[in-house]
Amino acid sequence: MDSTKPHPARRYDYWLGGKDNFPADRASADMVAEAFPTIRFAALENRKFLRRAVAYLAEAGIRQFLDIGAGLPTVGNVHEIAQDIAPESRIVYVDNDPIVLAHARTLLDSSPEGATAYLDADLRDPDYILGHPDLARVLDLSQPVALMLVAVMHFITDEHRPYRLVRTLRDALPSGSFLVMTHATSDFLTAEDLAENVAANQRSGVPFQLRSGTEFGEFFTGLELVAPGIASVTSWRPEEWHAHPRQEAVSMLGALARKP
């Protein structure tokens, strides 16, 4: 583990108020926050979206989840939400940060009826993920699976062919499966804010690419979007009692779609 280089999972942990991060992560995170001061709102609202999406899927009968880019454990992990509704739910987490691996025992605290596993793997190698024996031990890919790509694809720049990566994962799942994604977007930023944001991310030491709503929508080609479709994470089936930040303050799109 190289603690001198920032990592997205540890930087996200810092924005969420966690302690599992290093000076390089905090410096990188603060650099982004200078250009986008409401970044912590974005991290928090993204996490709330994840909880609502998992609850929706569990209540709809989905019992298998593949969470790639899981990040560090925090309150409301996928298995906690899903197994609270359906204890037999089975979850595989995937991340490539050694600190996440060190905390995997927290992620693996499954209900007796269900199961969880953690894979030390990179999203950019989907064939390795899909062929891993621990994935086959926990998930049955002949039955519907919820593929979770929450706040991770904006770290996959175009040179790594993000659409092909997602399609490889989608194609391995049967009919009735779901794709859940959130993604940082340029849609709610002024031209000046966008330029400043891009420059800050380039300086931060973490590859990052904002995408428009149209570009984000291409990940869902051929899938059936669940209402309200592609939306700000703050307005995707929000809790009515909750006061939400402005879309501009979060600048994150989310969607959930079913594979026909």
Side-chain angles (χ1 to χ4, degrees):
M1 179 175 64
D2 187 354
S3 63
T4 66
K5 294 182 179 179
H7 189 280
R10 300 194 301 264
R11 199 170 68 171
Y12 191 63
D13 174 72
Y14 172 63
W15 283 326
L16 289 174
K19 299 178 181 178
D20 294 301
N21 48 74
F22 295 106
D25 304 308
R26 296 190 286 274
S28 174
D30 289 341
M31 197 173 298
V32 174
E34 287 180 6
F36 190 54
T38 55
I39 186 64
R40 286 179 175 83
F41 283 127
L44 290 168
E45 290 298 323
N46 182 76
R47 195 73 190 178
K48 292 173 183 176
F49 169 93
L50 179 144
R51 291 199 289 267
R52 298 195 302 273
V54 172
Y56 171 89
L57 290 166
E59 290 168 356
I62 295 297
R63 299 292 179 262
Q64 300 191 113
F65 297 81
L66 176 56
D67 184 6
I68 302 179
L72 285 151
T74 186
V75 176
N77 292 300
V78 171
H79 75 277
E80 294 172 324
I81 303 163
Q83 291 180 350
D84 185 56
I85 296 170
E88 69 274 23
S89 297
R90 307 174 74 82
I91 297 90
V92 171
Y93 294 100
V94 180
D95 209 292
N96 66 344
D97 179 18
I99 285 191
V100 176
L101 177 60
H103 285 274
R105 60 182 177 274
T106 302
L107 287 173
L108 301 181
D109 184 20
S110 172
S111 68
E113 303 92 334
T116 58
Y118 172 83
L119 308 186
D120 183 13
D122 195 309
L123 170 58
R124 292 168 293 185
D125 191 355
D127 292 329
Y128 176 79
I129 295 171
L130 294 168
H132 200 288
D134 285 346
L135 184 144
R137 176 176 57 83
V138 175
L139 301 183
D140 177 0
L141 296 188
S142 70
Q143 298 298 315
V145 176
L147 171 61
M148 313 285 297
L149 295 171
V150 176
V152 64
M153 289 308 298
H154 41 235
F155 298 114
I156 306 298
T157 54
D158 284 345
E159 64 186 293
H160 295 294
R161 300 183 178 180
Y163 298 104
R164 187 175 71 172
L165 293 177
V166 173
R167 183 161 292 281
T168 298
L169 293 164
R170 284 175 41 181
D171 288 350
L173 305 180
S175 174
S177 294
F178 285 83
L179 172 62
V180 181
M181 284 185 66
T182 65
H183 198 299
T185 184
S186 55
D187 282 8
F188 307 119
L189 301 176
T190 65
E192 182 180 352
D193 288 341
L194 175 59
E196 188 176 354
N197 191 284
V198 170
N201 278 303
Q202 289 174 340
R203 296 192 304 268
S204 72
V206 175
F208 194 88
Q209 184 167 341
L210 293 166
R211 292 188 171 95
S212 68
T214 299
E215 292 171 319
F216 179 60
E218 291 180 24
F219 288 110
F220 299 92
T221 300
L223 303 183
E224 300 168 348
L225 286 165
V226 173
I230 294 171
S232 167
V233 293
T234 64
S235 55
W236 193 92
R237 296 177 178 261
E239 296 112 349
E240 293 182 2
W241 52 267
H242 180 63
H244 301 284
R246 295 175 295 108
Q247 293 180 345
E248 297 89 335
V250 174
S251 202
M252 184 86 69
L253 295 173
L256 190 156
R258 181 183 181 276
K259 182 175 180 178

